[in-house]
Amino acid sequence: MPELRESLNQDQLRAVLAAAGASGSWDWDIVGERLYVDYRFAELYALPGDDLSAGFETSAFFRAIHPEDRPRIRIAVAGMLAGAALFSKEFRVISPSGAVLWMHGRGQSHLDEDDQPVRFTGLLVDVTERKRTEERLRIAQSAGGVGTFEYSDGFATVSVSSEFCRLLGLHPADRLPVRTINAVLCEGEPLLIPEGSQAAPPDSLGGEFQVCRGEDRERRWIARRGEVLRDADGSGYRLLGVIYDVTYAKLQEAALRDLNDTLEHRVAMEVAERRQAEEALRQAQKMEAVGQLTGGIAHDFNNLLTIIMGSVDMAIRRTESSADPRIRRALDNAMKGAERAAALTHRLLAFSRRQPLDPRAVNVPELLAGMSDLLLRTITEAIAITVDASDEIWTIEADPHQLENALLNLAVNARDAMPEGGALRITARNRSLSDTAAASPTDPGGEIPAGDYVAIDVVDTGTGMDETTLGQVFDPFFTTKEVGKGTGLGLSMVYGFAKQSGGGIQIASRPGAGTCVSLYLPRSIAEAEQSSDQLIASAEMGSPSETILVVEDDDDVRAYTVGALRDLGYGVIEAHDGASALGMLARHEQPIRLLMTDVVMPRMSGSELAFLARERQAGLAVLFTSGYTRDAIMHGGRLDEGVELLPKPFTMKNLASKVRELLDR
Amino acid sequence: MTPEQVELSELERDALTEIVNIGVSRAASSLRKMIGDQVLLSVPSIEVVSQSRAARLISEREVVDLVAVRQDFSGPFSGRALLIFPETNSLELVRAVTGGELSAEEVLEMEHEALAETGNVILNSCLATMANMLRRSLTMTIPEVLRGNGAMLFEVDERGGNGGLVLFLYIDFAVRMRDIRGYIAMLMDIPSLATLKELLDEFIAGVVGDDA
């Protein structure tokens, strides 16, 4: 500056300063204690401008400076006067018009040979605009949490803002070494700022980085955005960009993703559950439909069978022993055919769980022992039969006749699975299920609720079944037997019986490894009854004084029943519906001993009739007959308490013993 | 971290920065005479921090090892002054002060001596100026060259240090187009810093007068 001042005249200097954007210049004579200023300085500071060459008192330097900035500048100037080399301060000046302007004062000291400061010269530059811009930028950065950086390739340091430092947890500075910045990155993250002069310029500044903040070691996510500015000659580049914290967004994103993931999982579970429920519902609906169909058929069919069997029965009894034996044989064949038809309808009802069950406390070992004769007759000699049931087996609650039926069915299935012979084992054991036994592909019998059961296993060493077959064994009309050999109702009947009895069925089988069917029947708290209710073999006769009122809407069935009862010697009156039966009950002089009524009748059902009849004649014995009861006298698959039922079709023998039993009670 | 009685006000910081600036300016002119070339030194900022904070401040900025010139001082306020460079910068500085005509081996040989001498000039100027401006006198020991990381230089030990404080000054060197950065750190105990603060207030009162 001294050189400059010496080589240029005042005017030239003024021109240079104006071109440099200077708002004024000063020359402080330290030794002479005078301040010399140019006309711009004088104007700005409102100093009298008529004789600038005379100079001013040095205190004039501070006069226009904003009071808040004045002490600071006084200290800085004191430093310059004492020998500091450089002066670079920003401060506010109040102009004559009252406007506050930001000035950047730059100056330096001039030393004599003894290194003593003699002059202090400098320039004032108006930086008000820049200050405002800086302020806006500063507020934008701090309010927006945005830190700026500028990097020129090849340099070891980066120009940064204090917000930049704050975001990375670094001590605020204007410049930071590249390595200091990259050192806050978590392991494995790409570099925030390229390192080394050989590094290729990045394609863009977009990116997110995980950092381990310098100050508190907290892990944060930082987003980097900005522009890659290439030098005009293409030799180098600058990176000008910003960083900001995106940890919250990242966490939200992660939480949302987590939620989404589990949502999918939850939806999948829900859908699977629903599918299962739908499958179960479909199965139930199928069974219901088949059940209704079979129930309807069975009802009519049993009426027909009752007539057929009754008539054949009567014909057999009335055939003289001297008659042509071919007539007798034909009648016997007709009876067998009717019996088989009756058995078929019975099975239809059983698998559709519409058979009336009459559960009692049953001693399983006794029942199995009673069946051994039957089994030996049914099963061929090529098959060894073992029945194993210890005396500790609990008493169960089940319909003993149906249980025998079910076991016989299983035994026949086992026999058919062993055409070459083998071993059949029937064992009973106590089982306590602590949890509901779940349904599974190899356990198609469905769930069995927790509880105490007696499991009766029917095990064969036969051909076994594969999984596909296992899945279908309980379907009605599914059979592996040849056409004509099986109805396909066997296992489904057993299944229906087990479910209806409150138990269940499990089946395990592998091709070539035999089959094990386990029948679970619930334990009974009652003691087993003695099997005193065995059907009495011979037909019991009645007397004409024992009047029976027969109510049946089917004329043929009624005619047969009435005929049979009269043959047995009873006095019989008949009615074709409930209303006329009640009328007879009122009119008849002799007491009626027994009301024998069909269950399913139009207008008034059998149970309604029984209720009304008992109102008129307390203690009247009632015997229901039915081919299919449609739950009228059953609840939960069992006969209501005190209800006696003679299932259709019935033979004369059944009829005789059942009626006698009721009348003798 | 910093006890209240030694927390420097903005004005006190300005005053101290200015005083140190005078010191480094003197050092610059001394170096100029040694090197025969333009040397500019300035101190843009100043801070009072704990020893461990000072160690972290350095290691945050300087990834490489450090070289330091150490001088102890005693008087109304006592302590230890450190002039610190990144190791890579120290050779630059040595080349600058030795005129750049030495071979690499010679630079390495000269390094220790040149550093000690440069450090002496700068630290001496700073401390002497401080004493002078604050109208007190200080005595100084001969310089010592140390190498190590921030924690070693600031004697941060496992037990958490002795509670001493550090006056931390960032200095810019400009020597013949070489950018050299360095730091001046003055380790002082709390009573010494409190004394320094009082002396600064006296100085400010003298300079600012009615404007304060």
Side-chain angles (χ1 to χ4, degrees):
Chain A
M1 195 61 115
E3 296 84 356
L4 196 67
R5 267 187 82 90
E6 279 148 29
S7 59
L8 297 173
N9 64 35
Q10 277 306 113
D11 287 344
Q12 282 172 317
L13 180 64
R14 246 179 240 153
V16 169
L17 293 176
S23 301
S25 68
W26 77 85
D27 184 345
W28 185 318
D29 181 353
I30 296 172
V31 181
E33 291 191 12
R34 290 297 281 177
L35 176 70
Y36 299 95
V37 301
D38 67 359
Y39 79 97
R40 287 163 181 272
F41 191 109
E43 242 169 50
L44 184 64
Y45 273 56
L47 297 171
D50 38 0
D51 188 11
L52 292 176
S53 60
F56 299 94
E57 271 190 37
T58 54
S59 62
F61 188 82
F62 304 105
R63 200 170 294 158
I65 295 177
H66 194 288
E68 281 176 22
D69 295 340
R70 216 177 286 157
R72 201 160 54 82
I73 301 307
R74 276 192 187 277
I75 289 170
V77 171
M80 293 305 291
L81 301 185
L86 295 172
F87 177 88
S88 176
K89 294 286 168 199
E90 286 181 350
F91 50 88
R92 285 163 288 181
V93 167
I94 301 170
S95 73
S97 66
V100 175
L101 301 170
W102 272 99
M103 289 293 156
H104 186 187
R106 285 167 172 278
Q108 67 181 124
S109 63
H110 305 269
L111 309 177
D112 64 8
E113 290 81 17
D114 302 325
D115 274 347
Q116 288 305 308
V118 289
R119 276 166 66 210
F120 164 39
T121 59
L123 290 178
L124 284 179
V125 177
D126 188 337
V127 293
T128 310
E129 268 312 303
R130 200 198 76 207
K131 268 284 184 190
R132 286 203 182 132
T133 310
E134 273 177 13
E135 197 145 48
R136 281 199 290 270
L137 187 63
R138 184 181 58 76
I139 289 169
Q141 292 202 23
S142 59
V146 172
T148 55
F149 67 92
E150 182 174 355
Y151 167 77
S152 298
D153 80 304
F155 280 71
T157 57
V158 184
S159 298
V160 296
S161 68
S162 51
E163 191 65 25
F164 182 97
C165 301
R166 199 191 62 75
L167 282 165
L168 298 183
L170 297 172
H171 200 79
D174 295 336
R175 297 191 75 80
L176 283 174
V178 173
R179 272 181 288 180
T180 302
I181 296 171
N182 286 335
V184 301
L185 290 165
C186 290
E187 216 166 302
E189 290 288 314
L191 294 176
L192 200 55
I193 308 287
E195 265 177 43
S197 51
Q198 302 308 312
D203 293 330
S204 80
L205 283 187
E208 278 160 9
F209 304 81
Q210 207 180 3
V211 301
C212 194
R213 232 164 30 186
E215 208 164 49
D216 46 16
R217 314 309 297 166
E218 202 186 321
R219 289 173 95 87
R220 309 288 296 182
W221 279 96
I222 295 290
R224 181 190 67 183
R225 301 283 184 271
E227 287 181 23
V228 182
L229 305 168
R230 284 169 199 283
D231 292 349
D233 58 2
S235 61
Y237 64 91
R238 278 189 307 138
L239 305 181
L240 197 55
V242 297
I243 61 166
Y244 50 92
D245 195 300
V246 291
T247 310
Y248 183 68
K250 277 276 177 188
L251 289 178
Q252 292 284 90
E253 197 181 291
L256 202 63
R257 195 168 41 235
D258 197 44
L259 201 69
N260 254 331
D261 289 353
T262 55
L263 185 72
E264 265 171 37
H265 181 66
R266 286 204 306 269
V267 167
M269 294 236 308
E270 204 70 29
V271 166
E273 214 166 274
R274 164 168 285 205
R275 239 178 239 149
Q276 250 175 3
E278 278 173 359
E279 190 52 46
L281 181 64
R282 215 175 356 256
Q283 183 66 20
Q285 283 173 336
K286 190 169 85 182
M287 294 300 279
E288 178 67 24
V290 175
Q292 287 207 341
L293 184 67
T294 52
I297 293 169
H299 176 247
D300 291 346
F301 210 63
N302 280 337
N303 274 343
L304 298 175
L305 283 172
T306 304
I307 299 158
I308 296 166
M309 286 169 81
S311 306
V312 173
D313 200 26
M314 202 164 288
I316 289 170
R317 279 189 292 111
R318 297 217 172 141
T319 309
E320 300 295 326
S321 52
S322 59
D324 187 343
R326 281 176 300 183
I327 295 173
R328 178 61 194 246
R329 216 162 35 240
L331 285 171
D332 281 347
N333 282 342
M335 189 54 127
K336 260 183 213 151
E339 273 166 3
R340 278 175 59 193
L344 183 60
T345 51
H346 202 91
R347 283 186 195 166
L348 280 169
L349 286 174
F351 95 81
S352 61
R353 295 180 229 168
R354 279 172 169 79
Q355 65 178 336
L357 286 186
D358 189 8
R360 303 177 187 190
V362 174
N363 180 316
V364 176
E366 242 174 51
L367 182 132
L368 289 177
M371 281 184 73
S372 53
D373 263 4
L374 184 63
L375 286 171
L376 284 171
R377 258 187 285 124
T378 317
I379 312 294
T380 53
E381 283 172 6
I383 294 167
I385 306 173
T386 326
V387 176
D388 178 17
S390 72
D391 291 340
E392 277 97 71
I393 297 296
W394 293 322
T395 302
I396 58 163
E397 193 173 63
D399 184 321
H401 302 297
Q402 299 304 331
L403 176 56
E404 279 180 2
N405 232 334
L407 289 173
L408 193 61
N409 231 303
L410 294 176
V412 168
N413 277 347
R415 179 198 67 192
D416 294 346
M418 299 183 284
E420 311 293 316
L424 169 68
R425 197 157 47 85
I426 301 177
T427 55
R429 61 203 158 95
N430 294 336
R431 282 291 305 273
S432 288
L433 299 181
S434 53
D435 277 316
T436 297
S440 75
T442 52
D443 173 17
E447 293 180 353
I448 302 168
D452 286 343
Y453 296 91
V454 170
I456 305 172
D457 299 336
V458 179
V459 187
D460 66 53
T461 58
T463 48
M465 287 173 278
D466 59 24
E467 275 192 24
T468 321
T469 313
L470 267 183
Q472 295 171 292
V473 289
F474 296 117
D475 282 357
F477 306 111
F478 175 82
T479 180
T480 57
K481 297 173 186 174
E482 284 167 43
V483 175
K485 280 205 171 174
T487 56
L489 288 175
L491 264 179
S492 50
M493 185 202 98
V494 176
Y495 174 59
F497 162 70
K499 294 306 271 186
Q500 205 180 339
S501 301
I505 196 165
Q506 280 184 342
I507 182 160
S509 185
R510 267 186 304 129
T515 303
C516 170
V517 180
S518 304
L519 197 56
Y520 282 76
L521 293 164
R523 181 185 185 177
S524 166
I525 37 158
E527 282 302 306
E529 294 168 26
Q530 290 305 308
S531 44
S532 57
D533 56 359
Q534 292 286 317
L535 292 180
I536 296 139
S538 60
E540 299 272 323
M541 301 302 284
S543 79
S545 61
E546 291 171 314
T547 310
I548 297 172
L549 171 56
V550 174
V551 188
E552 169 66 65
D553 61 325
D554 188 310
D555 294 340
D556 295 336
V557 175
R558 191 175 66 248
Y560 159 68
T561 310
V562 168
L565 286 171
R566 283 196 176 131
D567 275 4
L568 287 168
Y570 293 103
V572 183
I573 54 173
E574 56 185 297
H576 69 280
D577 63 12
S580 47
L582 286 174
M584 285 179 183
L585 205 60
R587 282 196 307 273
H588 206 263
E589 289 150 20
Q590 298 236 319
I592 288 169
R593 294 287 310 277
L594 176 71
L595 169 67
M596 183 173 170
T597 175
D598 189 16
V599 176
V600 184
M601 290 184 297
R603 290 184 291 282
M604 189 187 294
S605 76
S607 51
E608 281 169 327
L609 169 63
F611 178 77
L612 294 171
R614 276 182 169 154
E615 269 191 351
R616 286 164 173 73
Q617 186 182 324
L620 174 66
V622 178
L623 175 62
F624 291 108
T625 62
S626 181
Y628 163 53
T629 59
R630 259 189 221 141
D631 290 342
I633 54 169
M634 284 201 301
H635 286 102
R638 293 161 180 218
L639 290 175
D640 290 345
E641 196 73 26
V643 169
E644 293 295 330
L645 175 74
L646 181 63
K648 286 180 192 169
F650 50 83
T651 60
M652 192 147 167
K653 204 191 273 181
N654 295 140
L655 179 66
S657 59
K658 196 77 188 175
V659 168
R660 198 65 257 161
E661 183 197 334
L662 276 173
L663 289 175
D664 291 348
R665 220 173 244 184
Chain B
M1 207 67 202
T2 316
E4 216 171 283
Q5 72 265 31
V6 292
E7 183 89 66
L8 293 186
S9 72
E10 210 170 308
L11 218 50
E12 287 165 344
R13 244 204 315 263
D14 278 347
L16 187 56
T17 309
E18 231 34 81
I19 290 170
V20 177
N21 257 324
I22 301 167
V24 295
S25 299
R26 295 217 170 120
S29 79
S30 305
L31 287 174
R32 187 154 57 237
K33 279 177 192 142
M34 282 168 63
I35 299 168
D37 215 328
Q38 186 79 357
V39 176
L40 286 174
L41 284 175
S42 68
V43 178
S45 70
I46 198 163
E47 267 183 283
V48 178
V49 295
S50 70
Q51 272 168 270
S52 56
R53 174 96 184 132
R56 219 172 67 70
L57 218 85
I58 283 270
S59 47
E60 218 172 63
R61 275 156 184 72
E62 304 302 338
V63 185
V64 296
D65 269 350
L66 304 167
V67 177
V69 181
R70 186 179 85 181
Q71 271 187 295
D72 290 350
F73 56 91
S74 56
F77 53 94
S78 307
R80 167 171 298 177
L82 291 165
L83 176 67
I84 304 165
F85 304 104
E87 204 168 30
T88 44
N89 257 344
S90 83
L91 288 177
E92 284 284 293
L93 184 69
V94 172
R95 275 203 194 89
V97 295
T98 53
E101 281 142 24
L102 298 173
S103 68
E105 291 82 31
E106 284 169 319
V107 167
L108 276 176
E109 265 171 44
M110 288 283 294
E111 191 191 2
H112 192 272
E113 217 172 301
L115 277 176
E117 189 47 38
T118 312
N120 191 30
V121 169
I122 296 171
L123 291 178
N124 239 324
S125 301
C126 287
L127 289 166
T129 306
M130 278 171 74
N132 192 29
M133 297 298 288
L134 301 174
R135 297 171 206 280
R136 295 295 186 277
S137 64
L138 291 173
T139 55
M140 274 156 274
T141 61
I142 53 163
E144 229 183 299
V145 177
L146 309 170
R147 284 167 198 278
N149 61 24
M152 281 166 67
L153 295 180
F154 291 103
E155 296 168 343
V156 179
D157 55 33
E158 296 297 312
R159 289 157 296 152
N162 53 16
L165 295 170
V166 179
L167 200 59
F168 201 87
L169 305 109
Y170 192 91
I171 55 172
D172 282 331
F173 279 49
V175 184
R176 208 192 289 143
M177 305 307 286
R178 291 179 215 264
D179 271 328
I180 299 169
R181 63 181 182 278
Y183 311 86
I184 292 175
M186 293 186 195
L187 280 71
M188 279 183 262
D189 57 14
I190 289 171
S192 282
L193 261 175
T195 308
L196 177 61
K197 189 175 153 81
E198 275 170 33
L199 294 174
L200 284 170
D201 290 342
E202 272 176 36
F203 171 79
I204 292 164
V207 169
V208 175
D210 297 339
D211 281 340

